[in-house]
């Protein structure tokens, strides 16, 4: 029997639903038949999370995520994953709170980029992910990757579309065009690929929407979790 994957979700529930779909699809692809992933998901209320993000209350957020991880461990999870890029800003308290492994979302992404020979990559995500060091710094320190982000006006638009549209399930063609322009700008500055560094962006941008190779953190994260669950059964 495969191991049980514990997922901290709800940030937003739109992307958490995509995680659930991908975990089960990847498990079935590997094992066939009627197989699906063994998983637990603890879904937090995003309203309070988003308010604390805006307030910069990262210590409080870290405590909340750590408690969610402990609850998943008590519930029988063998691995914990956080179904959001932004909240990896507080991954350290999560790791410290549990005895089971924590799967950081940047690691399968960094490994996939290096395997593809990418050295300079564009990053799309929330302002927190694009502007703070917790994400690009891990990619640089662990995988030697140089990360580019859009300019300030584009970062504002990318962030706004995530919170005002994608978190509510709104998919707008004009917003896709804004993202495509941001990707083109990073390509002109030397980006060899683009990271969809927010778990909602995969709802809007697909590989066919850009000429740069797309690295979808949601898909890579889910695939790695399933690989681990099967290999360690």
């Amino acid at each position: 029997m495969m191991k049980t994957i514990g997922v901290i979700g709800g940030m937003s529930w739109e992307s958490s639903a995509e995680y659930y779909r991908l975990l089960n699809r990847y498990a079935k692809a590997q094992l066939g038949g009627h197989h699906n992933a063994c998983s637990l998901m603890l879904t937090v209320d995003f309203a309070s999370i988003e308010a604390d993000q805006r307030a910069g209350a990262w210590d409080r957020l870290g405590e909340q995520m750590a408690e969610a991880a402990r609850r998943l461990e008590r519930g029988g999870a063998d691995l914990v994953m956080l179904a959001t890029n932004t909240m990896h800003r507080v991954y350290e308290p999560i790791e410290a709170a549990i005895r089971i492994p924590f799967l950081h979302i940047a690691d399968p992404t960094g490994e996939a980029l290096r395997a593809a020979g990418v050295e300079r990559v564009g990053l799309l995500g929330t302002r927190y992910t694009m502007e703070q060091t917790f994400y690009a710094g891990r990619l640089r320190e662990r995988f030697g990757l140089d990360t580019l982000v859009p300019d300030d006006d584009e970062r504002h638009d990318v962030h706004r579309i995530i919170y005002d549209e994608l978190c509510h399930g709104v998919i707008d063609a004009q917003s896709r065009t804004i993202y495509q322009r941001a990707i083109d700008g990073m390509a002109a500055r030397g980006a060899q690929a683009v990271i969809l560094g927010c778990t909602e962006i995969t709802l809007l941008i697909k590989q066919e929407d850009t000429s740069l190779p797309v690295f979808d953190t949601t898909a890579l994260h889910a695939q790695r979790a399933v690989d681990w669950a099967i290999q360690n059964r």
Side-chain angles (χ1 to χ4, degrees):
M1 183 176 179
M2 76 182 76
K3 295 292 187 180
T4 299
I5 301 166
V7 184
I8 306 174
M11 299 166 282
S12 67
W13 73 260
E14 294 282 349
S15 62
S16 298
E18 181 69 3
Y19 262 93
Y20 185 73
R21 186 185 70 83
L22 289 171
L23 289 171
N24 289 306
R25 191 182 82 183
Y26 292 148
K28 182 177 177 63
Q30 290 197 49
L31 300 175
H34 293 288
H35 285 287
N36 53 266
C38 294
S39 66
L40 297 171
M41 183 178 288
L42 191 152
T43 305
V44 300
D45 182 3
F46 190 44
S48 64
I49 301 294
E50 189 273 335
D52 280 347
Q53 288 175 345
R54 281 188 286 107
W58 295 105
D59 287 346
R60 183 160 62 231
L61 288 166
E63 292 169 3
Q64 186 171 350
M65 295 299 103
E67 177 55 24
R70 283 191 289 265
R71 289 173 66 184
L72 286 169
E73 184 175 30
R74 290 197 299 268
D78 299 299
L79 171 81
V80 169
M81 61 192 307
L82 184 56
T84 160
N85 284 272
T86 296
M87 292 303 293
H88 280 73
R89 167 73 169 73
V90 296
Y91 83 91
E92 290 173 318
I94 300 172
E95 282 191 327
I98 54 178
R99 293 166 294 176
I100 58 177
F102 174 76
L103 177 58
H104 196 295
I105 196 169
D107 292 347
T109 302
E111 290 169 9
L113 286 161
R114 293 306 303 180
V118 173
E119 297 180 350
R120 175 171 288 183
V121 64
L123 173 63
L124 294 175
T126 66
R127 268 195 175 274
Y128 314 112
T129 301
M130 292 186 289
E131 296 178 358
Q132 298 181 19
T133 60
F134 68 91
Y135 200 91
R138 191 177 182 100
L139 292 176
R140 180 181 63 253
E141 292 162 9
R142 295 201 169 206
F143 304 101
L145 292 163
D146 181 20
T147 304
L148 304 176
V149 297
D151 65 30
D152 188 66
D153 287 343
E154 289 175 330
R155 292 198 303 273
H156 172 81
D157 286 337
V158 168
H159 181 92
R160 173 186 58 78
I161 289 164
I162 290 168
Y163 280 87
D164 293 352
E165 298 177 16
L166 300 180
C167 285
H168 301 288
V170 176
I171 309 300
D172 183 86
Q174 184 174 355
S175 296
R176 182 177 293 110
T177 299
I178 291 170
Y179 273 60
Q180 288 170 319
R181 283 201 299 265
I183 294 169
D184 289 344
M186 292 187 290
R189 291 159 51 207
Q192 301 163 286
V194 61
I195 297 171
L196 305 187
C198 174
T199 52
E200 281 81 20
I201 296 177
T202 186
L203 305 174
L204 180 67
I205 296 294
K206 310 295 184 187
Q207 182 59 73
E208 59 265 27
D209 297 315
T210 175
S211 59
L212 282 186
V214 166
F215 288 77
D216 176 6
T217 58
T218 303
L220 291 164
H221 201 201
Q223 180 69 71
R224 177 59 57 81
V226 169
D227 290 345
W228 186 92
I230 292 173
Q231 290 165 7
N232 288 278
R233 59 180 172 166

